Amino acid sequence: MSHPQPELELPPVLESGALRVVALGGLGEIGRNMAVLEYEGRLLIIDCGVLFPEDHQPGVDLILPDFSYIEDRMDLIDAIVLTHGHEDHIGGVPYLLKMRRDIPVVGSKLTLAFVEAKLKEHRITPVLNPVREGDVVAFGEFSCEFVAVNHSIPDALAVAVTTGAGTILHTGDFKMDQLPLDGRITDLRAFARLGEKGVDLFMADSTNAEVPGFVTPEREIGPTLGRVFGDSDGRIVVASFASHVHRVQQVLDAAHEHGRKVAFVGRSMVRNMGIAAELGYLKVPPGVVAELRDMNSLPDNQVVLMCTGSQGEPMAALSRIANQSHQISVGHGDTVVLASSLIPGNENAVFRVINGLMRLGAKVVHSGNAKVHVSGHASEGELTYCYNILRPKNVMPVHGEVRHLIANGAIAVRTGVPAQNVILAEDGVVVDLIDGQARIVGAVPCGYVYVDGSSVGTVTEAELKDRRILSEEGFVSLFAVVDSSTGKVIAGPQIMARGFAEDDVVFESIKPSVTAALEEAAMNGNVDAHQLQQVMRRTVGRWLSSRLRRKPMILPVVVIA
């Protein structure tokens, strides 16, 4: 299997008749999925999602793909093809369209409805091209055939992109639930037909490649939810992704069966379920959905609250409920259901929320103690089926951490794909398909782009490091006034600390050393304020490290009088 090397250089100019694939996100991580296809000077984008920040990225709201590879070629983009409506596949679309607003956005009816609602918040009116399974549509040099796939959101599509260089089949996120709630299965007949025609590069979802066997059918969740509802005498809070229409449908059905009403909590949940109901993807039993404001007038045993926050997101409804900073409160007799699986990296945040809810007296039901969620991604057995049906010439695992990509590649090799034809790439690695052979030819810069409030891309790794130091080590401010003619310290040094257990009096012992260091530097001709600030920083820094075993952020100020 072909691994990317750290010393990869910029790729050569793309040969005429060759197809280039560059993933700008989603390879080596769970999220911000985006692939750029290039052929004969034109570009096609598949998905444009976001990644949600982890604990070591304080203050960050979202993480975007790095658009620098295409920012000076925006006029060459023929379309953005979206495989489905999850945030890790559509969340970056508004930020890309701000660079060119008339790029055609292609996707299924539900996917485009979710995107359009999101774009309204950014005051962007998109050019929407709705498609459905079975459609074959040309966007410039790219002929796209759309194939129905089953996922944890309705209306998901795989896309087969054909150019003069061959055919790429990109699965998006998919699984092979044979008894899905909406009856829409992954179209293996279309996969087989494409396989007979010839798939030159198969880009397959890797998220569950390490999991043996087959994914549990969604239908098995309904009875579990029914038992939870039947055993609960208090209020029930269910947390899920705001786009998980199937799970919300099961909650509505269970509520209807047990004489409860459901209120949607959270802006994205209210928006998405309103869209899904309006388009007919969500079947709402009569009289089941109520407004949140009306829930206080109902007995606890008639209340269900459907909210966001199943991944422990600090600002989502469930985290605020656990922190007692939300208008909704839970206590003894109430039940909270986390109807999702853990996304890698979110474990600590989720367990923190679970502990907070249980401390308040609530019973918490989650995938670790009950069958309240099944994955939306194909496991090893399903991927094996796909490889055997398709018999692809080349394979490029996508959508997953490095361990997932490697596991997916190993499945491909076991089914007969030559090891040299399995490309294990990461974000920014450039893969060219030439004469039926895929190979790594270089890499392009592909870093994280942070959204922090209204700023996009201005937060750097250095600033995040500063934030981590501030949160973990605190900071110390230093101030002194130095006489420019004599070099004497005529005011200060003043030392103030924040985030320290010790009182400021502990710094009295270092002040004489700071004064001496400043005056010695001034006597040696260093009367530049910046140089004297560095002297003060080094003196106090060494003392803090040896005396207090701390490495805080140090902010020195020297005034030359």
Side-chain angles (χ1 to χ4, degrees):
M1 292 188 284
S2 179
H3 291 259
Q5 300 298 318
E7 63 272 11
L8 287 174
E9 299 179 350
L10 289 173
V13 175
L14 181 61
E15 294 182 19
S16 178
L19 176 66
R20 176 162 290 177
V21 181
V22 183
L24 299 184
L27 272 61
E29 61 202 356
I30 303 291
R32 68 171 197 151
N33 299 288
M34 181 176 179
V36 178
L37 277 55
E38 179 177 356
Y39 179 74
E40 298 296 355
R42 304 298 297 181
L43 305 176
L44 182 79
I45 294 173
I46 300 178
D47 289 329
C48 184
V50 296
L51 178 67
F52 293 101
E54 298 183 24
D55 290 344
H56 65 275
Q57 295 157 330
V60 174
D61 299 317
L62 298 170
I63 305 171
L64 299 175
D66 187 346
F67 300 143
S68 59
Y69 174 63
I70 58 172
E71 64 183 353
D72 61 347
R73 297 189 293 164
M74 298 297 293
D75 58 320
L76 303 179
I77 300 173
D78 287 323
I80 304 169
V81 175
L82 303 175
T83 59
H84 64 282
H86 279 150
E87 284 294 304
D88 58 335
H89 291 256
I90 68 170
V93 171
Y95 302 92
L96 183 60
L97 289 187
K98 286 178 182 178
M99 302 170 71
R100 181 189 150 200
R101 297 190 174 219
D102 65 342
I103 302 174
V105 182
V106 184
S108 64
K109 183 168 66 172
L110 182 65
T111 302
L112 293 187
F114 282 179
V115 170
E116 187 174 24
K118 179 182 294 294
L119 289 171
K120 281 182 180 178
E121 298 179 1
H122 290 263
R123 299 179 181 177
I124 295 174
T125 302
V127 178
L128 300 179
N129 286 21
V131 294
R132 54 170 298 141
E133 56 264 32
D135 287 352
V136 180
V137 185
F139 302 99
E141 298 285 344
F142 305 93
S143 177
C144 299
E145 178 178 350
F146 298 92
V147 180
V149 292
N150 180 244
H151 187 41
S152 56
I153 186 173
D155 243 8
L157 295 168
V159 57
V161 182
T162 300
T163 68
T167 296
I168 290 179
L169 177 58
H170 192 301
T171 65
D173 287 351
F174 86 111
K175 61 179 176 176
M176 288 164 54
D177 189 337
Q178 298 302 299
L179 296 169
L181 297 178
D182 58 3
R184 186 175 179 272
I185 63 173
T186 294
D187 190 352
L188 296 180
R189 293 181 300 176
F191 275 30
R193 176 175 48 78
L194 289 166
E196 290 294 327
K197 180 182 174 183
V199 173
D200 297 282
L201 180 62
F202 184 38
M203 300 174 69
D205 177 12
S206 306
T207 309
N208 262 3
E210 290 184 312
V211 180
F214 294 80
V215 173
T216 304
E218 292 275 356
R219 290 183 184 272
E220 294 192 17
I221 304 303
T224 303
L225 286 175
R227 286 192 294 273
V228 171
F229 277 51
D231 294 342
S232 302
D233 297 323
R235 288 179 300 169
I236 298 174
V237 179
V238 183
S240 175
F241 293 117
S243 55
H244 202 330
V245 179
H246 294 324
R247 193 68 69 246
V248 174
Q249 183 69 66
Q250 291 172 313
V251 170
L252 292 176
D253 294 341
H256 181 60
E257 180 183 349
H258 292 88
R260 290 177 178 261
K261 292 188 179 297
V262 179
F264 297 127
V265 182
R267 184 164 54 95
S268 56
M269 180 69 75
V270 172
R271 180 191 66 199
N272 288 350
M273 291 310 113
I275 292 170
E278 181 181 343
L279 297 179
Y281 294 95
L282 186 68
K283 312 294 183 184
V284 181
V288 167
V289 173
E291 295 292 332
L292 179 60
R293 62 176 176 268
D294 298 329
M295 286 301 190
N296 289 334
S297 62
L298 295 175
D300 286 353
N301 62 1
Q302 294 181 19
V303 172
V304 178
L305 302 168
M306 188 80 218
C307 71
T308 56
S310 60
Q311 296 303 308
E313 305 96 313
M315 296 306 296
L318 193 64
S319 292
R320 292 163 57 202
I321 292 170
N323 294 333
Q324 297 181 286
S325 59
H326 197 281
Q327 59 178 308
I328 297 169
S329 60
V330 298
H332 293 280
D334 295 334
T335 301
V336 179
V337 181
L338 273 69
S340 70
S341 56
L342 281 175
I343 293 176
N346 293 346
E347 294 88 350
N348 289 340
V350 172
F351 293 146
R352 193 180 304 123
V353 170
I354 291 174
N355 288 327
L357 293 167
M358 295 186 73
R359 189 175 292 115
L360 295 172
K363 176 183 178 182
V364 181
V365 181
H366 54 86
S367 58
N369 57 26
K371 192 177 290 185
V372 290
H373 181 71
V374 297
S375 177
H377 303 272
S379 294
E380 178 188 9
E382 292 152 88
L383 290 170
T384 302
Y385 260 85
C386 286
Y387 286 122
N388 285 333
I389 290 170
L390 289 166
R391 294 294 179 189
K393 296 176 184 176
N394 301 275
V395 170
M396 179 177 170
V398 295
H399 302 174
E401 297 178 353
V402 172
R403 59 195 175 98
H404 304 132
L405 304 179
I406 292 173
N408 196 354
I411 297 170
V413 172
R414 288 200 297 272
T415 61
V417 179
Q420 66 269 21
N421 292 0
V422 177
I423 306 297
L424 296 180
E426 293 185 62
D427 294 343
V429 171
V430 179
V431 177
D432 283 359
L433 181 64
I434 303 174
D435 297 328
Q437 180 67 50
R439 56 191 175 90
I440 292 173
V441 297
V444 298
C446 190
Y448 280 0
V449 176
Y450 298 108
V451 178
D452 184 0
S454 61
S455 70
V456 178
T458 57
V459 174
T460 65
E461 291 292 343
E463 287 165 332
L464 286 182
K465 180 180 179 181
D466 288 346
R467 291 180 182 183
R468 288 192 292 270
I469 292 172
L470 284 169
S471 66
E472 296 167 4
E473 299 284 349
F475 81 94
V476 175
S477 65
L478 314 173
F479 176 78
V481 180
V482 176
D483 188 305
S484 60
S485 58
T486 66
K488 297 292 184 181
V489 176
I490 57 177
Q494 296 177 0
I495 303 178
M496 293 188 298
R498 293 294 181 268
F500 276 68
E502 297 85 357
D503 192 87
D504 284 354
V505 71
V506 75
F507 295 102
E508 293 299 323
S509 62
I510 189 59
K511 286 183 178 180
S513 298
V514 174
T515 299
L518 287 172
E519 293 182 349
E520 181 182 355
M523 289 288 291
N524 291 331
N526 293 329
V527 291
D528 176 73
H530 176 72
Q531 291 177 335
L532 293 178
Q533 284 169 184
Q534 298 312 306
V535 169
M536 193 156 54
R537 183 199 300 273
R538 287 192 295 270
T539 304
V540 174
R542 285 193 295 265
W543 180 84
L544 284 167
S545 179
S546 62
R547 172 76 182 273
L548 300 181
R549 300 291 188 268
R550 299 285 292 271
K551 293 183 179 180
M553 180 174 289
I554 300 174
L555 306 175
V557 176
V558 173
V559 175
I560 306 297

